[in-house]
Every structure is written in structure tokens, then in C-alpha cells.
Amino acid sequence: MKFSQLLCPTLKETPREAEVVSHQLLLRGGYIRKVASGLYSFLPLGYRVLKKVEQIVREEMNATGAQEVVLPCVTPAEFWQQSGRWDKYGKELLRFKDRHDNEFCFGPTCEESITDLVVQSVKSYKQLPITLYQIHTKFRDEIRPRFGLMRAREFVMKDAYSFHITNESLDKTYSVMQAAYERILTRCGLAFQLVSADSGQMGGDESAEFMVLAETGEDAVLVAKDGSHAMNTEVADTKPDLDRNLYDEVRGIEVGHIFKLGPKYCEAFKAVVLDENGKNVTMTMGCYGIGVSRIMAAAIEQHHDQDGIIWPMALAPFQVVILVSSMRDDALVAEAEALYASLVAVGIEVLLDDRSESVGVKFKDASLLGIPVQVVVGRDWKESGNYEVRFRQTGEVVSLAALDAVSYLKNRVVCP
RNA sequence: CGGGGCGUAGCGCAGCCUGGUAGCGCACCAGUUUUGGGAACUGGGGGUCGGAGGUUCAAGUCCUCUCGCCCCGACCA
């Protein structure tokens, strides 16, 4: 991609509405724009990052044997009445009527819809266990949306649901999901903490949250000093005899939550299969959510500095940006374009900053955008034929012979 | 919903108290000179001053109502 063609309206000044750093930098970097409170458009760079997170989630889900589906965003009121949540969910559930005066809501989560699907299509214990997931838009009419993508009303979530006839089977899938979530967050380059949690409105027996550690996190977490476990302070508050001296309190951003739901929804939907004796048994269920768009924000909260975003390699919209120090120097431009073509040819995601801006602007924008590797074709190349390579995260600066550039950069953009 | 703050060009702001031709910086367009950490000059374009009503000869400014946005709280993946 050439920067001169890219829709990327960077801002020098922070919009007044943005309070937290991820929101500020996403706006300043031209990643997102606000449409209304809690509603955001993703611009090309923002969408690239979102797709990176989605793809990591998808790969790890598929690796567990989970199957990807898509359910409608709009669901009929009957589903929610059947589970009892039409009354319980409150105003967070966005409700409306169609032209026939039938009631619907925009799904904030999909236990009802997925259970309905499974009821229709799963009839035998031989089809179990099964895990279905989707990566899709959710809407929750939050009391107070805030902090940009951190607590938006419309957001992208991966929600997975597993169905079983034994608790042992549910336990097993729950563990598999936990391990998958650990791999997802590790691949995303995030430091996180697994915490036992309150299952809240979802119901169920056991749940755990995945917290991305960041001082700006909305949640407080108690981590045992011996490292053995951690819990949300919401849970700690229900344990009056807990010795808080044995814990350190840290802040976290909840990016994932896994639940053993049990039979609640399956009972409500009469989700039964025939067992090996030909008898009806009610299924039991687990659900597993990851805030895909929230991970974007959390990654920035954890990885930024005064100059801007510092994307982990796996999430970066581009791995490399080539800065041409002067667009009026034909030799420089030709060299940069040749380098660009050869990097593209080996599959590196590279942005060529071919704008007729001063090199200072290009440095500032490259740092703000958080592209992991900056390759400068300029002064050094004129003098010695070398490129100057700068690493956003470490500040390391390397002088690189042009001949070695492709193989060197290929090695340096590998995701851990 | 309670408390607080803010709405003036894409972004950041001044002007309001004390009513009288709607401004500044950045961004944008054209031209010239520039190009190693947000260049300079010249010339341009862009505004229902959030909306409605009122007071007045005259409202961005005063009054009333209203909508939106942000922060704190309750709530929450």
C-alpha cells in the first residue's frame, strides 16, 4: 500500500472527547472515527488490525475443532422470552419491532439463538460434543459507553458455545478453550492474567476471565503472591475472611470470559438428544467470549509511548513502513519503490510513505501509527548505499546493506 | 437516572461577562522555495456559532426549553 493512496487522516492534536490513551491514539492515527456515542467506524488501518485479531482467534478456534458459523444480529423476542432473559436483561437489550409489529432485539450475546440452532440440528449423542463459534457484531445499549473501543455499544466479539451430555465432557472443552485463549492472547503479544470471576447475568457454575494487564484497566484483580491463582475483586468481595495481604492488586482489561453454563439454556429450549440407550437427555453447555475489538484497544493500552502506538508484530496493520526522505529525489524514489516491490513480493506487509511531506512528518506519523519496522531510504543510502532500519518497540537503529534487506526484514517481521 | 463539564470550519481553541461585519493555529486547495523528527512565504476554499422559541433596531453573546457529547457514580462481556 502506498501512503499517498491510503485513507489515514492523522491528527496532531488529541480530540477533546478522548480520555484514555487507546482512544486518543486510535483517533489520532486515523484508525477509527466516532459516529455516535459508543459507535465507531473502522478506517482502512483500523480494519486491518481488527482482521488481524479476528484471524488469530479464528485459527486458534479452528485448531480446537470448533466450527465457525454466523447467526443473525437481529433475534426474535420469543427466544429471549423462552430463556427468561427478555425480562431480566433490562435496557441494555436494544429492542424494536418490525413492520408487522413483531418484537426483536439486536443480540448482545447468542446463547438463545445458538441453542435454537442446536435443538433443530443435533439429535444424537453421537454428534456431541460440538463447539460452534462466530466472529460477529454485538450490540449492548450500555448505560454509559466510554473509552472508545474499550466499552463501545456496538463491538466485534467472538462467541463460542459448546454442547455436551456429561459434565466431564464440558470440563474438557472448557480446558481446551482456556488453553486456546492463552494461545490467542500470547500470539497477540499481550501480557495477561487468568482470573476466576463472577459469572454474573450469564448464570452457570464456573467462569474465568482473561485480563490484559494495564494500569488503565476498568477491573481490579487480586493476584496471589505465590502466583497460584487470581480473582476479580468482585469475587473477593464475596469472601469476607479472605486475607488480602496474600494478594497483589493489579488493574486489568477483561478481553475474554469463559463459562460453564450448565443446563440452564438447554432446559429452557428443551435441548435434548438421544443417548446410547435411546433415551432423551438434556444437554449441558459452555460459552466462551472474546472481545475482538476490545483486544485492539487493550493492546494499545499495554503497548504505547509518548510518540504513539507500538503494535505487537502480529496485530500491526503493516509490518514495515518505508520512509522516502525526499520525493523530489528521483533516485531515492526509484530505490524505495524497488525495495517496496521486493518486500511485497516476499509477502511482507509494507506501507510505502510516498507522500510529498517532509521527512519529519513521516517519522512522526510512522511512530504514531505504531508500525513495528521503519526503513528509511534517504541520507544513509545516498552516502553509503545502506538503509536505516528503526524498530519502533526498542528504538534500535540498524544500518542495513541494500542487498541484504529482503532476507533481513523477512526475519525481523516474524511473529513470535 | 444523580453529580460535574463541554457544544463556534475536519482537529484544537478564542470571542460571550459588557449584544453591533465570525476569528486564530493546524489541516485542506494553488504557486514558489524546501525535505532527517510535525518547513517558510504568497494567494485561496470551507461556518444554519448543536437545535427551537423568546427579548431587542440588532443575538455566537442575554432569557427559556431542548438535543448531543465527555467525565464521576450506580451497572456491565
Side-chain angles (χ1 to χ4, degrees):
Chain A
M1 183 77 211
K2 295 189 176 184
F3 208 139
S4 61
Q5 308 298 308
L6 179 67
L7 179 63
C8 179
T10 58
L11 301 172
K12 287 185 184 176
E13 294 183 275
T14 303
R16 186 169 44 187
E17 69 192 35
E19 194 79 7
V20 297
V21 69
S22 61
H23 191 196
Q24 294 175 343
L25 293 176
L26 285 168
L27 288 171
R28 283 193 55 209
Y31 283 90
I32 62 170
R33 285 292 183 266
K34 187 176 73 177
V35 173
S37 181
L39 302 177
Y40 293 88
S41 296
F42 286 71
L43 279 64
L45 285 187
Y47 194 50
R48 287 181 75 101
V49 176
L50 189 71
K51 288 287 168 189
K52 291 279 183 97
V53 180
E54 281 188 19
Q55 189 53 29
I56 290 169
V57 171
R58 180 173 288 116
E59 288 170 11
E60 294 298 337
M61 282 296 110
N62 290 347
T64 68
Q67 301 173 59
E68 188 169 10
V69 295
V70 183
L71 307 177
C73 294
V74 173
T75 53
E78 293 81 69
F79 284 9
W80 293 78
Q81 287 156 350
Q82 199 162 343
S83 68
R85 288 208 287 186
W86 187 256
D87 297 320
K88 280 188 197 161
Y89 217 100
K91 288 193 166 181
E92 223 176 88
L93 190 62
L94 178 65
R95 303 154 204 251
F96 46 87
K97 291 178 179 176
D98 69 5
R99 61 171 69 198
H100 305 297
D101 231 24
N102 293 321
E103 286 192 295
F104 290 87
C105 66
F106 200 115
T109 174
C110 286
E111 283 77 13
E112 285 82 356
S113 309
I114 200 83
T115 305
D116 177 72
L117 176 64
V118 167
V119 164
Q120 290 179 43
S121 50
V122 174
K123 301 294 182 187
S124 162
Y125 76 96
K126 294 176 188 171
Q127 294 171 277
L128 301 181
I130 189 170
T131 302
L132 302 172
Y133 77 97
Q134 61 174 346
I135 299 172
H136 211 196
T137 300
K138 296 289 182 294
F139 189 95
R140 297 182 187 177
D141 202 357
E142 294 281 350
I143 296 172
R144 185 155 78 85
R146 54 182 179 274
F147 306 151
L149 296 187
M150 293 260 277
R151 184 170 294 282
R153 290 194 292 176
E154 185 174 306
F155 58 99
V156 177
M157 182 165 103
K158 186 283 299 177
D159 45 325
Y161 308 89
S162 67
F163 293 84
H164 317 264
I165 49 171
T166 66
N167 287 331
E168 294 69 35
S169 174
L170 172 57
D171 292 347
K172 190 176 170 188
T173 297
Y174 183 89
S175 300
V176 165
M177 284 292 150
Q178 179 176 319
Y181 275 37
E182 289 168 354
R183 281 195 301 276
I184 288 166
L185 296 177
T186 300
R187 284 183 62 185
C188 287
L190 300 172
F192 64 94
Q193 174 72 51
L194 177 66
V195 293
S196 53
D198 181 2
S199 47
Q201 179 142 196
M202 300 293 295
D205 317 319
E206 184 178 345
S207 83
E209 294 169 331
F210 290 80
M211 294 283 187
V212 167
L213 302 175
E215 288 184 5
T216 49
E218 288 187 85
D219 293 275
V221 178
L222 295 179
V223 182
K225 287 180 176 167
D226 63 10
S228 62
H229 64 289
M231 70 183 80
N232 197 306
T233 49
E234 290 169 10
V235 173
D237 291 343
T238 64
K239 301 182 178 187
D241 48 349
L242 188 79
D243 182 359
R244 297 219 177 196
N245 292 323
L246 299 176
Y247 295 86
D248 292 317
E249 185 169 327
V250 299
R251 305 294 301 181
I253 302 161
E254 182 189 344
V255 295
H257 203 156
I258 58 178
F259 301 82
K260 292 181 187 173
L261 285 177
K264 174 180 172 182
Y265 295 94
C266 293
E267 284 168 354
F269 280 79
K270 298 186 170 56
V272 298
V273 291
L274 290 177
D275 69 10
E276 52 200 325
N277 301 313
K279 292 193 170 172
N280 278 328
V281 287
T282 300
M283 289 183 276
T284 190
M285 192 176 171
C287 79
Y288 319 91
I290 279 190
V292 173
S293 45
R294 183 180 279 183
I295 280 181
M296 264 179 81
I300 295 171
E301 294 293 334
Q302 199 173 77
H303 300 291
H304 68 273
D305 64 13
Q306 289 180 333
D307 295 324
I309 299 169
I310 305 174
W311 287 116
M313 187 62 76
L315 302 190
F318 290 95
Q319 298 161 332
V320 174
V321 57
I322 299 172
L323 310 187
V324 191
S325 70
S326 171
M327 289 305 288
R328 301 203 312 177
D329 184 324
D330 292 340
L332 278 185
V333 172
E335 180 68 16
E337 288 189 342
L339 174 63
Y340 171 72
S342 51
L343 294 181
V344 168
V346 297
I348 295 175
E349 296 174 300
V350 50
L351 181 64
L352 175 64
D353 194 344
D354 59 340
R355 296 174 298 169
S356 298
E357 295 284 354
S358 72
V359 69
V361 171
K362 297 184 181 186
F363 275 123
K364 287 287 187 185
D365 276 345
S367 298
L368 172 64
L369 295 177
I371 312 295
V373 184
Q374 304 170 0
V375 178
V376 187
V377 180
R379 195 174 56 197
D380 290 7
W381 185 77
K382 299 294 280 188
E383 290 169 5
S384 64
N386 281 9
Y387 305 138
E388 177 183 306
V389 182
R390 290 169 170 264
F391 293 91
R392 181 69 180 86
Q393 184 172 8
T394 60
E396 179 190 1
V397 181
V398 173
S399 182
L400 177 64
L403 275 178
D404 303 332
V406 173
S407 60
Y408 176 86
L409 290 169
K410 185 81 179 153
N411 288 330
R412 295 296 299 252
V413 300
V414 171
C415 297

